[in-house]
Amino acid sequence: MADQPLSFRVVAPPRRALVAPKAIVAIPVKDEEVRLLECLKALAAQRDAPDFATIVLLHNCLDRTEQVAIQAGETLPLPLRILSIELASDKAGASWARRHVMDAAASLFVTSGLPKGIILTTEADARPAPNWVAANVADIALGADAVAGRVEMDANQSLPKGLWRRYQGAHRYARLLNEVDHLIDGEHGSPWPTHREASSASLAVSVDAYVKAGGIPTSASAAASGLLGALTRTGHSVRHDPDVQVAASWRLDPAGIGGQFRAWSEGQVAFDTLGLEPVAQVVRRARLRRTMRRAFGAGQLWTVTNWASTLRISPVDAFKLAALPSFPQMWAVLENISPLLTPHPLAPSQLTLETARAVGLLAEMRIRSGVRRLLGRKEPDA
């Protein structure tokens, strides 16, 4: 939650207020006069969704975004609350704005006596699928504390062919890694089918879990993955659901997903939204996680000499990890402190070779998995 209360300017209260919404969609908005209306139209067109409200937080806008938001509130069948704030230059990034608008949503639930509410967030240039709200709410109703959805970039926009091919290749490689991980350690994370993405364009979290996890981190590169990691470390469950989807625009400025992907494609930055790493690193981590899971379940992690030094952590930290109530919580903390588990982001120049390696490895793993099923064995792949 925010370190101190902020003073928002209420641009427009909702014309169609809800007494007790099941969910609130919280969207940070900066200079989105072209795309914001399409996002809000997509929310107004949600199917089979419970009652939900929407809060948009305009921050440091210099264009006509405010007028567009007001028009949407007047014309769309959408309970829409419009807030505005000027953030200081050192706290004016998208992560800060998302934290503030999600905190505002959480506060509305808490002060209304509705701690079981759900906060959803997306990007102002994204178009949630017609079942987006309903699918998020359904996953949380089934026991998830948070839901990470999938983001598909809009294929209708005019893009350089090379950039589009690399984007498709990166998504294909992410799917291959996901299957490799699942075949080695199928008990990890979400039930199958699942995915590897962590994007602020599609997140949902229960109010209680959001507050206990400390809210959205303000690091520019870790809003989504940072929140999901904090949730897991505090004992909450995260569902990565491929059926929860939004379509994002190929906005190529640095703040957009398209811009981040282009920068990665040109070798300028690491792109962590899809969790791309060399396949050997994914295999090593999955095998280690499977081994640790078994040891945790058998109560063997109290013998710190067997594993603490291997993972380059102190015996004190090892005892603390062994005392945690669940393995997902223990593993999330371990990933955060063990240098052996530090991610190694894939460079764009590695994509073709690593894809070929993943395809070859998966062919072998699928054959072995099929043989095990025929023999009635349930052991995961070695």
mmCIF file of all heavy atoms in Angstrom, residues 323-358:
data_model
loop_
_atom_site.group_PDB
_atom_site.id
_atom_site.type_symbol
_atom_site.label_atom_id
_atom_site.label_comp_id
_atom_site.label_asym_id
_atom_site.label_seq_id
_atom_site.Cartn_x
_atom_site.Cartn_y
_atom_site.Cartn_z
ATOM 1 N N ALA A 323 11.273 -23.857 7.871
ATOM 2 C CA ALA A 323 10.172 -23.649 8.810
ATOM 3 C C ALA A 323 8.940 -23.024 8.164
ATOM 4 O O ALA A 323 7.899 -22.913 8.816
ATOM 5 C CB ALA A 323 10.643 -22.763 9.961
ATOM 6 N N LEU A 324 9.053 -22.630 6.902
ATOM 7 C CA LEU A 324 7.903 -22.003 6.240
ATOM 8 C C LEU A 324 6.789 -23.024 6.032
ATOM 9 O O LEU A 324 7.050 -24.224 5.865
ATOM 10 C CB LEU A 324 8.335 -21.390 4.907
ATOM 11 C CG LEU A 324 9.217 -20.142 5.026
ATOM 12 C CD1 LEU A 324 9.723 -19.690 3.670
ATOM 13 C CD2 LEU A 324 8.464 -19.009 5.715
ATOM 14 N N PRO A 325 5.537 -22.584 6.008
ATOM 15 C CA PRO A 325 4.412 -23.529 6.024
ATOM 16 C C PRO A 325 4.144 -24.248 4.712
ATOM 17 O O PRO A 325 3.479 -25.278 4.712
ATOM 18 C CB PRO A 325 3.217 -22.642 6.406
ATOM 19 C CG PRO A 325 3.620 -21.259 6.002
ATOM 20 C CD PRO A 325 5.098 -21.194 6.206
ATOM 21 N N SER A 326 4.615 -23.737 3.590
ATOM 22 C CA SER A 326 4.323 -24.400 2.314
ATOM 23 C C SER A 326 5.532 -24.328 1.403
ATOM 24 O O SER A 326 6.358 -23.405 1.501
ATOM 25 C CB SER A 326 3.118 -23.744 1.626
ATOM 26 O OG SER A 326 3.460 -22.459 1.131
ATOM 27 N N PHE A 327 5.615 -25.308 0.471
ATOM 28 C CA PHE A 327 6.754 -25.298 -0.439
ATOM 29 C C PHE A 327 6.723 -24.121 -1.413
ATOM 30 O O PHE A 327 7.774 -23.515 -1.662
ATOM 31 C CB PHE A 327 6.849 -26.614 -1.223
ATOM 32 C CG PHE A 327 7.996 -26.594 -2.197
ATOM 33 C CD1 PHE A 327 9.299 -26.781 -1.756
ATOM 34 C CD2 PHE A 327 7.780 -26.340 -3.544
ATOM 35 C CE1 PHE A 327 10.368 -26.730 -2.641
ATOM 36 C CE2 PHE A 327 8.846 -26.296 -4.436
ATOM 37 C CZ PHE A 327 10.143 -26.485 -3.983
ATOM 38 N N PRO A 328 5.584 -23.761 -2.028
ATOM 39 C CA PRO A 328 5.599 -22.591 -2.923
ATOM 40 C C PRO A 328 6.135 -21.344 -2.239
ATOM 41 O O PRO A 328 6.885 -20.568 -2.838
ATOM 42 C CB PRO A 328 4.128 -22.437 -3.320
ATOM 43 C CG PRO A 328 3.572 -23.811 -3.219
ATOM 44 C CD PRO A 328 4.261 -24.420 -2.035
ATOM 45 N N GLN A 329 5.769 -21.159 -0.971
ATOM 46 C CA GLN A 329 6.270 -20.004 -0.229
ATOM 47 C C GLN A 329 7.778 -20.127 -0.014
ATOM 48 O O GLN A 329 8.535 -19.172 -0.212
ATOM 49 C CB GLN A 329 5.541 -19.915 1.108
ATOM 50 C CG GLN A 329 5.805 -18.638 1.886
ATOM 51 C CD GLN A 329 4.940 -18.543 3.126
ATOM 52 O OE1 GLN A 329 4.111 -19.415 3.393
ATOM 53 N NE2 GLN A 329 5.117 -17.490 3.907
ATOM 54 N N MET A 330 8.204 -21.313 0.344
ATOM 55 C CA MET A 330 9.627 -21.534 0.582
ATOM 56 C C MET A 330 10.441 -21.304 -0.698
ATOM 57 O O MET A 330 11.485 -20.651 -0.696
ATOM 58 C CB MET A 330 9.832 -22.974 1.104
ATOM 59 C CG MET A 330 11.284 -23.384 1.250
ATOM 60 S SD MET A 330 11.834 -24.289 -0.226
ATOM 61 C CE MET A 330 13.519 -24.634 0.236
ATOM 62 N N TRP A 331 9.940 -21.826 -1.826
ATOM 63 C CA TRP A 331 10.669 -21.711 -3.080
ATOM 64 C C TRP A 331 10.738 -20.254 -3.543
ATOM 65 O O TRP A 331 11.769 -19.805 -4.049
ATOM 66 C CB TRP A 331 10.014 -22.571 -4.154
ATOM 67 C CG TRP A 331 10.728 -22.507 -5.468
ATOM 68 C CD1 TRP A 331 10.343 -21.819 -6.576
ATOM 69 C CD2 TRP A 331 11.968 -23.139 -5.802
ATOM 70 N NE1 TRP A 331 11.256 -21.979 -7.587
ATOM 71 C CE2 TRP A 331 12.260 -22.793 -7.133
ATOM 72 C CE3 TRP A 331 12.846 -23.973 -5.107
ATOM 73 C CZ2 TRP A 331 13.404 -23.240 -7.792
ATOM 74 C CZ3 TRP A 331 13.995 -24.416 -5.768
ATOM 75 C CH2 TRP A 331 14.258 -24.061 -7.076
ATOM 76 N N ALA A 332 9.659 -19.507 -3.373
ATOM 77 C CA ALA A 332 9.655 -18.099 -3.781
ATOM 78 C C ALA A 332 10.691 -17.300 -3.002
ATOM 79 O O ALA A 332 11.381 -16.445 -3.562
ATOM 80 C CB ALA A 332 8.262 -17.504 -3.582
ATOM 81 N N VAL A 333 10.818 -17.591 -1.703
ATOM 82 C CA VAL A 333 11.821 -16.901 -0.902
ATOM 83 C C VAL A 333 13.217 -17.341 -1.317
ATOM 84 O O VAL A 333 14.136 -16.519 -1.449
ATOM 85 C CB VAL A 333 11.598 -17.171 0.603
ATOM 86 C CG1 VAL A 333 12.716 -16.543 1.438
ATOM 87 C CG2 VAL A 333 10.241 -16.627 1.041
ATOM 88 N N LEU A 334 13.387 -18.633 -1.562
ATOM 89 C CA LEU A 334 14.692 -19.159 -1.962
ATOM 90 C C LEU A 334 15.164 -18.537 -3.277
ATOM 91 O O LEU A 334 16.332 -18.167 -3.425
ATOM 92 C CB LEU A 334 14.630 -20.683 -2.093
ATOM 93 C CG LEU A 334 15.922 -21.392 -2.507
ATOM 94 C CD1 LEU A 334 17.024 -21.137 -1.490
ATOM 95 C CD2 LEU A 334 15.673 -22.886 -2.684
ATOM 96 N N GLU A 335 14.256 -18.414 -4.233
ATOM 97 C CA GLU A 335 14.634 -17.799 -5.512
ATOM 98 C C GLU A 335 15.115 -16.368 -5.320
ATOM 99 O O GLU A 335 15.930 -15.875 -6.100
ATOM 100 C CB GLU A 335 13.439 -17.815 -6.468
ATOM 101 C CG GLU A 335 13.198 -19.148 -7.135
ATOM 102 C CD GLU A 335 12.209 -19.040 -8.267
ATOM 103 O OE1 GLU A 335 11.085 -18.547 -8.014
ATOM 104 O OE2 GLU A 335 12.547 -19.419 -9.401
ATOM 105 N N ASN A 336 14.625 -15.732 -4.282
ATOM 106 C CA ASN A 336 14.956 -14.335 -4.044
ATOM 107 C C ASN A 336 16.303 -14.148 -3.362
ATOM 108 O O ASN A 336 16.887 -13.068 -3.431
ATOM 109 C CB ASN A 336 13.858 -13.690 -3.192
ATOM 110 C CG ASN A 336 13.771 -12.192 -3.364
ATOM 111 O OD1 ASN A 336 13.842 -11.689 -4.479
ATOM 112 N ND2 ASN A 336 13.620 -11.473 -2.273
ATOM 113 N N ILE A 337 16.818 -15.234 -2.718
ATOM 114 C CA ILE A 337 18.057 -15.067 -1.944
ATOM 115 C C ILE A 337 19.214 -15.920 -2.464
ATOM 116 O O ILE A 337 20.368 -15.646 -2.106
ATOM 117 C CB ILE A 337 17.821 -15.376 -0.451
ATOM 118 C CG1 ILE A 337 17.440 -16.842 -0.242
ATOM 119 C CG2 ILE A 337 16.755 -14.450 0.135
ATOM 120 C CD1 ILE A 337 17.333 -17.242 1.234
ATOM 121 N N SER A 338 18.941 -16.935 -3.270
ATOM 122 C CA SER A 338 20.021 -17.804 -3.732
ATOM 123 C C SER A 338 20.601 -17.298 -5.055
ATOM 124 O O SER A 338 19.886 -17.208 -6.054
ATOM 125 C CB SER A 338 19.515 -19.242 -3.931
ATOM 126 O OG SER A 338 20.508 -20.025 -4.579
ATOM 127 N N PRO A 339 21.900 -16.990 -5.085
ATOM 128 C CA PRO A 339 22.510 -16.547 -6.342
ATOM 129 C C PRO A 339 22.474 -17.630 -7.422
ATOM 130 O O PRO A 339 22.549 -17.323 -8.610
ATOM 131 C CB PRO A 339 23.949 -16.201 -5.943
ATOM 132 C CG PRO A 339 24.188 -16.931 -4.660
ATOM 133 C CD PRO A 339 22.867 -17.010 -3.973
ATOM 134 N N LEU A 340 22.340 -18.892 -7.000
ATOM 135 C CA LEU A 340 22.279 -19.981 -7.973
ATOM 136 C C LEU A 340 20.991 -19.930 -8.790
ATOM 137 O O LEU A 340 20.920 -20.477 -9.889
ATOM 138 C CB LEU A 340 22.377 -21.326 -7.249
ATOM 139 C CG LEU A 340 22.733 -22.547 -8.094
ATOM 140 C CD1 LEU A 340 24.154 -22.419 -8.609
ATOM 141 C CD2 LEU A 340 22.573 -23.824 -7.295
ATOM 142 N N LEU A 341 19.963 -19.261 -8.273
ATOM 143 C CA LEU A 341 18.670 -19.206 -8.939
ATOM 144 C C LEU A 341 18.404 -17.855 -9.598
ATOM 145 O O LEU A 341 17.286 -17.577 -10.024
ATOM 146 C CB LEU A 341 17.554 -19.519 -7.940
ATOM 147 C CG LEU A 341 17.620 -20.917 -7.324
ATOM 148 C CD1 LEU A 341 16.560 -21.081 -6.243
ATOM 149 C CD2 LEU A 341 17.471 -21.991 -8.384
ATOM 150 N N THR A 342 19.426 -17.030 -9.690
ATOM 151 C CA THR A 342 19.272 -15.734 -10.353
ATOM 152 C C THR A 342 18.913 -15.937 -11.816
ATOM 153 O O THR A 342 19.560 -16.724 -12.512
ATOM 154 C CB THR A 342 20.580 -14.921 -10.265
ATOM 155 O OG1 THR A 342 20.908 -14.731 -8.887
ATOM 156 C CG2 THR A 342 20.431 -13.573 -10.956
ATOM 157 N N PRO A 343 17.867 -15.288 -12.318
ATOM 158 C CA PRO A 343 17.488 -15.460 -13.732
ATOM 159 C C PRO A 343 18.600 -15.016 -14.679
ATOM 160 O O PRO A 343 19.368 -14.098 -14.377
ATOM 161 C CB PRO A 343 16.258 -14.556 -13.873
ATOM 162 C CG PRO A 343 15.732 -14.389 -12.494
ATOM 163 C CD PRO A 343 16.929 -14.418 -11.597
ATOM 164 N N HIS A 344 18.682 -15.698 -15.816
ATOM 165 C CA HIS A 344 19.626 -15.343 -16.876
ATOM 166 C C HIS A 344 18.814 -15.022 -18.127
ATOM 167 O O HIS A 344 18.537 -15.916 -18.937
ATOM 168 C CB HIS A 344 20.598 -16.488 -17.134
ATOM 169 C CG HIS A 344 21.470 -16.820 -15.960
ATOM 170 N ND1 HIS A 344 22.565 -16.059 -15.612
ATOM 171 C CD2 HIS A 344 21.388 -17.801 -15.033
ATOM 172 C CE1 HIS A 344 23.124 -16.576 -14.526
ATOM 173 N NE2 HIS A 344 22.432 -17.638 -14.159
ATOM 174 N N PRO A 345 18.401 -13.763 -18.295
ATOM 175 C CA PRO A 345 17.524 -13.414 -19.427
ATOM 176 C C PRO A 345 18.143 -13.773 -20.766
ATOM 177 O O PRO A 345 19.355 -13.648 -20.980
ATOM 178 C CB PRO A 345 17.359 -11.897 -19.282
ATOM 179 C CG PRO A 345 17.625 -11.622 -17.839
ATOM 180 C CD PRO A 345 18.686 -12.613 -17.436
ATOM 181 N N LEU A 346 17.284 -14.248 -21.653
ATOM 182 C CA LEU A 346 17.718 -14.645 -22.993
ATOM 183 C C LEU A 346 18.054 -13.423 -23.821
ATOM 184 O O LEU A 346 17.304 -12.434 -23.834
ATOM 185 C CB LEU A 346 16.597 -15.431 -23.667
ATOM 186 C CG LEU A 346 16.949 -16.114 -24.998
ATOM 187 C CD1 LEU A 346 17.720 -17.395 -24.728
ATOM 188 C CD2 LEU A 346 15.682 -16.400 -25.795
ATOM 189 N N ALA A 347 19.165 -13.479 -24.523
ATOM 190 C CA ALA A 347 19.505 -12.429 -25.491
ATOM 191 C C ALA A 347 18.791 -12.735 -26.804
ATOM 192 O O ALA A 347 18.595 -13.904 -27.153
ATOM 193 C CB ALA A 347 21.012 -12.375 -25.709
ATOM 194 N N PRO A 348 18.396 -11.715 -27.570
ATOM 195 C CA PRO A 348 17.693 -11.977 -28.833
ATOM 196 C C PRO A 348 18.508 -12.824 -29.797
ATOM 197 O O PRO A 348 17.950 -13.613 -30.561
ATOM 198 C CB PRO A 348 17.416 -10.574 -29.387
ATOM 199 C CG PRO A 348 18.323 -9.652 -28.640
ATOM 200 C CD PRO A 348 18.521 -10.273 -27.305
ATOM 201 N N SER A 349 19.841 -12.710 -29.742
ATOM 202 C CA SER A 349 20.687 -13.503 -30.630
ATOM 203 C C SER A 349 20.649 -14.990 -30.308
ATOM 204 O O SER A 349 21.035 -15.828 -31.131
ATOM 205 C CB SER A 349 22.136 -13.000 -30.544
ATOM 206 O OG SER A 349 22.623 -13.102 -29.215
ATOM 207 N N GLN A 350 20.170 -15.349 -29.113
ATOM 208 C CA GLN A 350 20.102 -16.752 -28.701
ATOM 209 C C GLN A 350 18.784 -17.421 -29.089
ATOM 210 O O GLN A 350 18.658 -18.634 -28.960
ATOM 211 C CB GLN A 350 20.264 -16.861 -27.172
ATOM 212 C CG GLN A 350 21.595 -16.390 -26.619
ATOM 213 C CD GLN A 350 21.586 -16.429 -25.101
ATOM 214 O OE1 GLN A 350 21.012 -15.564 -24.445
ATOM 215 N NE2 GLN A 350 22.226 -17.445 -24.537
ATOM 216 N N LEU A 351 17.808 -16.659 -29.526
ATOM 217 C CA LEU A 351 16.453 -17.174 -29.675
ATOM 218 C C LEU A 351 16.376 -18.355 -30.646
ATOM 219 O O LEU A 351 15.756 -19.383 -30.339
ATOM 220 C CB LEU A 351 15.507 -16.052 -30.126
ATOM 221 C CG LEU A 351 14.032 -16.435 -30.282
ATOM 222 C CD1 LEU A 351 13.464 -16.954 -28.967
ATOM 223 C CD2 LEU A 351 13.229 -15.227 -30.759
ATOM 224 N N THR A 352 16.988 -18.253 -31.812
ATOM 225 C CA THR A 352 16.876 -19.318 -32.821
ATOM 226 C C THR A 352 17.498 -20.619 -32.326
ATOM 227 O O THR A 352 16.884 -21.695 -32.407
ATOM 228 C CB THR A 352 17.547 -18.879 -34.132
ATOM 229 O OG1 THR A 352 16.898 -17.699 -34.621
ATOM 230 C CG2 THR A 352 17.443 -19.976 -35.181
ATOM 231 N N LEU A 353 18.719 -20.544 -31.799
ATOM 232 C CA LEU A 353 19.408 -21.754 -31.337
ATOM 233 C C LEU A 353 18.696 -22.370 -30.142
ATOM 234 O O LEU A 353 18.500 -23.595 -30.085
ATOM 235 C CB LEU A 353 20.855 -21.424 -30.979
ATOM 236 C CG LEU A 353 21.701 -22.596 -30.434
ATOM 237 C CD1 LEU A 353 21.736 -23.739 -31.435
ATOM 238 C CD2 LEU A 353 23.113 -22.117 -30.085
ATOM 239 N N GLU A 354 18.276 -21.541 -29.185
ATOM 240 C CA GLU A 354 17.614 -22.075 -28.005
ATOM 241 C C GLU A 354 16.252 -22.671 -28.345
ATOM 242 O O GLU A 354 15.826 -23.653 -27.724
ATOM 243 C CB GLU A 354 17.467 -20.982 -26.942
ATOM 244 C CG GLU A 354 18.780 -20.560 -26.309
ATOM 245 C CD GLU A 354 19.473 -21.707 -25.590
ATOM 246 O OE1 GLU A 354 18.787 -22.469 -24.885
ATOM 247 O OE2 GLU A 354 20.702 -21.858 -25.763
ATOM 248 N N THR A 355 15.576 -22.126 -29.347
ATOM 249 C CA THR A 355 14.314 -22.717 -29.787
ATOM 250 C C THR A 355 14.553 -24.113 -30.351
ATOM 251 O O THR A 355 13.810 -25.060 -30.051
ATOM 252 C CB THR A 355 13.633 -21.832 -30.851
ATOM 253 O OG1 THR A 355 13.334 -20.556 -30.270
ATOM 254 C CG2 THR A 355 12.348 -22.471 -31.358
ATOM 255 N N ALA A 356 15.593 -24.265 -31.158
ATOM 256 C CA ALA A 356 15.919 -25.580 -31.716
ATOM 257 C C ALA A 356 16.249 -26.572 -30.603
ATOM 258 O O ALA A 356 15.826 -27.739 -30.641
ATOM 259 C CB ALA A 356 17.088 -25.452 -32.687
ATOM 260 N N ARG A 357 16.988 -26.118 -29.607
ATOM 261 C CA ARG A 357 17.318 -27.003 -28.480
ATOM 262 C C ARG A 357 16.063 -27.412 -27.721
ATOM 263 O O ARG A 357 15.906 -28.572 -27.330
ATOM 264 C CB ARG A 357 18.292 -26.303 -27.544
ATOM 265 C CG ARG A 357 19.708 -26.183 -28.092
ATOM 266 C CD ARG A 357 20.572 -25.319 -27.206
ATOM 267 N NE ARG A 357 21.973 -25.341 -27.640
ATOM 268 C CZ ARG A 357 22.899 -24.476 -27.232
ATOM 269 N NH1 ARG A 357 22.561 -23.523 -26.360
ATOM 270 N NH2 ARG A 357 24.146 -24.573 -27.675
ATOM 271 N N ALA A 358 15.161 -26.455 -27.506
ATOM 272 C CA ALA A 358 13.926 -26.760 -26.784
ATOM 273 C C ALA A 358 13.050 -27.735 -27.559
ATOM 274 O O ALA A 358 12.453 -28.646 -26.978
ATOM 275 C CB ALA A 358 13.158 -25.465 -26.502
#
